[in-house]
Amino acid sequence: MRPKDLDKEKAIRTMALQIIAEEGLENLSMQKLAKAANISPRTIYIKYENKEDLLIKLFVEEVLGAYEQATLKDFRETMDFETGVKKIWLNLFAYCKTNKEAFVLMQYGKSSPLLNKAFQEKNITEGQFFAPIHRFLKRHAKNGTIKSFPIAVHRALLFSPILDLVNEYFEHKDRPRQIVTEKVILECCDMVIKGMLL
Amino acid sequence: MRPKDLDKEKAIRTMALQIIAEEGLENLSMQKLAKAANISPRTIYIKYENKEDLLIKLFVEEVLGAYEQATLKDFRETMDFETGVKKIWLNLFAYCKTNKEAFVLMQYGKSSPLLNKAFQEKNITEGQFFAPIHRFLKRHAKNGTIKSFPIAVHRALLFSPILDLVNEYFEHKDRPRQIVTEKVILECCDMVIKGMLL
DNA sequence: ATTTAATAAGTATACGTTTGTTTACTTATG
DNA sequence: CATAAGTAAACAAACGTATACTTATTAAAT
């Protein structure tokens, strides 16, 4: 039996992410992907059931996991509030800067109905994506370090600004001056922390 | 000469926004739109050059303007920082709550390459979308009420949390309990303001 | 006051492409 | 040589858009 060519599997994933990052999710077609990965369309269907299956697996297996791991690098849920939040912000910034494809697909996960559904399900059934951060927030709310809120509210306050800043970073990437530097990130992080501390 | 049927023009815009809000931008096709609006596909092309033209006009003329107007209702750039920010947050929440279609299309404006381009151009060439807010922020930075930053950074800190909360509001709309209430919005707004004030 | 001519609005349908996916076949390896 | 991996080509369906025709209205001509 002929063995699977792992390079081809890899090429499918790499090119799919690249096309999404460069041309948008709406401009990714199976035939375009096959051509970009230098394979026959049929080959994609050996590994993936259909386009939806490809996108969801790409999102959940390829991006969500790596994204989570990068975010939590050297993060301990026992950290004090300021240290923990700063660690997360800097991790996110460092990872996204060098992994635009992952960042872009994560952003699509919020708006695209298909990926959103996948994200919700993954989040509910496994209930452990970013679990350390959830416990970190719960503990600090209990301790009285910060005000108690549903996790989604904490997430909006803590993460939406840094993700917006990363987006701004990419929009300024090919402009003369970059306005989103690590210094700016840290100053913004300080403000968010200051606002949340009781 | 046969006069234009304004009801049909209206139906095109209404149904387009509805389809985008309910099924996503990627699921809007010209033929589906024509069927939904109960007209012939050709009729869309009387008013709009092509699909891109339709989407951009829908975004810029129909949504951006109304969205801006709603956000700035009773807002004065001479307001003190806390009053001004709270006014904007409450305006945004009230408007989005009852105009999901506009909110959804605004969100697509950030990720969809096509709409993003339109937004950038509109923002640069006209340079006046949300101009009162920009002047409001500039003044308070000059006064020393808040730290001075590029406008994009202020925007990330001030607006991304409220938009994320609105998103969360819609995700909880058909669940047993709504976690994003006006009370929560105001408490979050307080935290953001507290963080930004010097 | 009625008819008519001109014309843009509108419809039904079909065009050529591109879409996601499949069929029929070939290739490489245990 | 059995078999799954892989290819080239083609499938029906859906896409954005154009064609050929009909309809409703206005303004000029009767």
Side-chain angles (χ1 to χ4, degrees):
Chain A
M1 170 181 122
R2 182 175 177 175
K4 287 194 185 186
D5 185 337
L6 295 176
D7 287 346
K8 288 184 177 165
E9 289 191 2
K10 181 75 187 161
I12 293 171
R13 283 177 269 135
T14 307
M15 294 315 296
L17 289 173
Q18 197 176 115
I19 291 172
I20 292 168
E22 285 173 5
E23 306 175 42
L25 184 56
E26 57 269 47
N27 287 307
L28 175 75
S29 81
M30 298 301 259
Q31 305 191 76
K32 184 191 270 189
L33 173 56
K35 202 163 271 182
N38 216 19
I39 52 161
S40 158
R42 182 67 176 77
T43 307
I44 303 173
Y45 289 87
I46 293 170
K47 178 91 174 140
Y48 305 98
E49 225 178 286
N50 49 40
K51 190 181 180 182
E52 177 169 342
D53 186 45
L54 163 67
L55 287 174
I56 288 177
K57 286 202 171 123
L58 211 61
F59 180 61
V60 174
E61 292 171 11
E62 200 75 5
V63 171
L64 259 182
Y67 192 87
E68 185 192 22
Q69 209 177 344
T71 305
L72 297 179
K73 194 184 168 230
D74 298 326
F75 171 83
R76 302 282 163 262
E77 57 185 271
T78 51
M79 282 173 166
D80 70 85
F81 189 69
E82 181 170 350
T83 313
V85 171
K86 274 197 177 150
K87 173 61 73 188
I88 294 168
W89 273 53
L90 289 177
N91 278 346
L92 266 174
F93 186 53
Y95 176 72
C96 291
K97 252 166 71 169
T98 51
N99 294 274
K100 185 176 183 184
E101 315 82 33
F103 174 71
V104 170
L105 192 55
M106 277 299 287
Q107 296 304 101
Y108 271 112
K110 292 184 188 166
S111 59
S112 151
L114 195 140
L115 295 181
N116 199 306
K117 208 183 109 213
F119 187 42
Q120 303 278 5
E121 278 170 17
K122 200 74 191 169
N123 226 347
I124 289 164
T125 58
E126 310 233 334
Q128 59 187 10
F129 271 105
F130 299 106
I133 296 180
H134 289 193
R135 287 195 296 267
F136 169 79
L137 291 169
K138 266 225 164 81
R139 180 171 61 81
H140 281 295
K142 209 170 198 171
N143 283 358
T145 324
I146 57 171
K147 212 166 184 317
S148 186
F149 278 112
I151 213 74
V153 173
H154 278 144
R155 218 168 36 205
L157 288 165
L158 270 178
F159 296 128
S160 63
I162 171 67
L163 294 176
D164 216 54
L165 287 170
V166 169
N167 208 53
E168 210 63 48
Y169 167 83
F170 283 120
E171 304 228 320
H172 283 79
K173 192 136 193 207
D174 25 71
R175 293 192 202 171
R177 280 188 62 222
Q178 178 55 261
I179 62 167
V180 183
T181 60
E182 187 153 315
K183 180 167 170 283
V184 168
I185 296 281
L186 277 171
E187 286 176 329
C188 289
C189 189
D190 276 329
M191 289 191 267
V192 169
I193 290 166
K194 182 180 161 199
M196 289 184 77
L197 285 175
L198 280 176
Chain B
M1 170 181 120
R2 183 174 178 177
K4 287 194 185 187
D5 186 336
L6 294 177
D7 288 346
K8 289 184 176 166
E9 290 192 2
K10 181 75 187 160
I12 293 171
R13 283 177 268 135
T14 307
M15 293 316 295
L17 288 173
Q18 198 177 113
I19 291 172
I20 292 168
E22 285 173 4
E23 305 174 43
L25 184 55
E26 58 269 47
N27 288 308
L28 175 74
S29 81
M30 299 300 259
Q31 305 189 82
K32 184 191 269 188
L33 173 55
K35 201 163 271 183
N38 217 21
I39 53 163
S40 158
R42 182 69 177 74
T43 307
I44 303 173
Y45 289 87
I46 292 169
K47 179 93 173 132
Y48 304 98
E49 223 178 287
N50 48 40
K51 191 182 179 181
E52 177 169 340
D53 186 46
L54 163 67
L55 287 174
I56 288 177
K57 286 202 171 125
L58 211 61
F59 181 61
V60 174
E61 291 172 12
E62 199 75 4
V63 171
L64 259 182
Y67 192 87
E68 184 191 23
Q69 208 177 346
T71 305
L72 298 179
K73 195 184 166 228
D74 299 326
F75 171 84
R76 302 282 163 262
E77 56 186 272
T78 51
M79 283 174 165
D80 71 85
F81 189 69
E82 180 169 350
T83 314
V85 170
K86 273 197 178 149
K87 173 61 72 187
I88 293 167
W89 272 52
L90 288 176
N91 279 346
L92 265 175
F93 186 54
Y95 176 72
C96 292
K97 251 168 72 169
T98 50
N99 293 273
K100 185 177 182 185
E101 315 82 32
F103 174 71
V104 170
L105 193 54
M106 277 299 286
Q107 296 304 101
Y108 272 111
K110 291 185 189 167
S111 60
S112 150
L114 194 139
L115 295 181
N116 199 305
K117 206 183 109 212
F119 187 41
Q120 303 279 4
E121 280 169 19
K122 200 74 191 168
N123 227 347
I124 289 164
T125 58
E126 311 233 334
Q128 60 186 8
F129 271 104
F130 299 109
I133 296 179
H134 290 193
R135 287 194 297 267
F136 168 78
L137 291 169
K138 266 225 166 78
R139 180 171 62 81
H140 280 297
K142 209 169 199 172
N143 282 359
T145 324
I146 57 171
K147 211 166 184 318
S148 185
F149 279 112
I151 212 75
V153 173
H154 279 144
R155 216 167 38 205
L157 289 165
L158 270 177
F159 295 128
S160 62
I162 172 67
L163 294 177
D164 216 56
L165 287 170
V166 169
N167 207 53
E168 212 61 49
Y169 168 84
F170 284 120
E171 304 228 320
H172 283 79
K173 191 133 195 212
D174 24 71
R175 294 193 201 171
R177 281 188 61 221
Q178 178 55 262
I179 61 166
V180 184
T181 61
E182 186 151 317
K183 181 168 169 284
V184 168
I185 295 281
L186 277 172
E187 288 176 328
C188 289
C189 190
D190 275 330
M191 289 192 267
V192 169
I193 290 166
K194 182 181 159 200
M196 289 186 76
L197 284 175
L198 281 175

